[in-house]
Amino acid sequence: MTLWLLITRLGEAQILLPAAGLALLLLAQREDSRAAALRWALALGLGTLVTTVSKVAFLGFGWGIAALDFTGFSGHSMYAASVDIPLLATCALALFGRGRWGGALAGAALAALIAVSRVEVGAHSVSEAIAGFVLGGSLAAWVVAALPTRWPAQAALRTAVGLAPLGLTLWLAAGVAWAPPPVTHSLVVRLSLALSGREHPYTRAHLHATPRARLPVRSWPPAGDTDLA
């Protein structure tokens, strides 16, 4: 279990997005990869939006699929796929001048491992982990397809990024070891309650209740809180 807990941290947005940001800067500096940089930025925004909407729909309004044990896309799985796949594809191009799909395959393997970890630590169901991986993977494939097939040999560039895999490894290790606990879930819960007007979020137990549980909307003014003397 300890190993899975370490692996699952590799899917946290606070660790992955800074690494993606650095790669985006590298891509944006080259004319032949600016389109891919734009796609990647759009993909991350779209993935974040879809994942957040799916979580708000369940936490705030109880919209889920009981038959699939589905309460929303796994954010860790989505970010792992949408970041790791283009990131390692970019590293392959920068280091070897080619091999974008080989790098993408390595990123997909890492992202799949992180998706499995979400199930192993009990954070998500199988359907949620798969849905997140498929969403992020589809967006990542759209990004990788826009990357150039080859980058001309540039000694200065190769020297500058030659330590990229080592730097990335150190960054991920440092993130797993010292990054604070993520706050994204609590923020989504707050957003869900604000939009739905409920005092408590829906849980997986509500999803599988028979008949389907429906939480009451918060009354206003709250009990005991009135302007009447």
Side-chain angles (χ1 to χ4, degrees):
M1 178 59 73
T2 301
L3 178 59
W4 286 120
L5 288 172
L6 293 175
I7 292 173
T8 207
R9 295 215 67 187
L10 295 175
E12 293 177 9
Q14 63 180 341
I15 295 175
L16 290 175
L17 291 182
L22 290 175
L24 280 170
L25 289 176
L26 173 64
L27 294 174
Q29 290 177 358
R30 296 180 57 91
E31 185 176 355
D32 58 354
S33 57
R34 285 173 189 161
L38 178 59
R39 280 196 187 188
W40 199 357
L42 291 174
L44 290 173
L46 180 59
T48 299
L49 176 63
V50 172
T51 301
T52 301
V53 168
S54 73
K55 290 178 178 292
V56 169
F58 177 73
L59 293 170
F61 301 91
W63 298 345
I65 307 175
L68 297 177
D69 196 19
F70 183 82
T71 64
F73 292 90
S74 165
H76 282 62
S77 300
M78 186 281 294
Y79 279 119
S82 62
V83 172
D84 287 339
I85 294 174
L87 182 61
L88 293 188
T90 301
C91 285
L93 274 174
L95 290 171
F96 308 115
R98 57 190 176 85
R100 57 176 180 165
W101 289 112
L105 184 60
L110 176 58
L113 183 64
I114 294 170
V116 170
S117 76
R118 300 307 289 162
V119 179
E120 292 294 330
V121 301
H124 283 286
S125 66
V126 173
S127 65
E128 293 161 357
I130 291 176
F133 178 81
V134 171
L135 172 61
S138 299
L139 293 170
W142 181 57
V143 175
V144 175
L147 288 171
T149 56
R150 288 181 178 274
W151 271 0
Q154 294 182 4
L157 175 63
R158 299 289 166 77
T159 301
V161 301
L163 296 178
L166 175 59
L168 179 60
T169 300
L170 293 176
W171 170 257
L172 294 178
V176 169
W178 294 301
V183 298
T184 50
H185 181 71
S186 63
L187 292 176
V188 173
V189 170
R190 292 181 184 181
L191 176 62
S192 302
L193 298 181
L195 292 176
S196 66
R198 291 183 167 84
E199 295 182 356
H200 303 286
Y202 281 91
T203 67
R204 204 175 295 276
H206 295 125
L207 178 69
H208 294 292
T210 306
R212 179 73 66 84
R214 303 301 303 176
L215 295 179
V217 176
R218 182 190 301 124
S219 60
W220 190 262
D225 186 6
T226 177
D227 293 330
L228 297 179

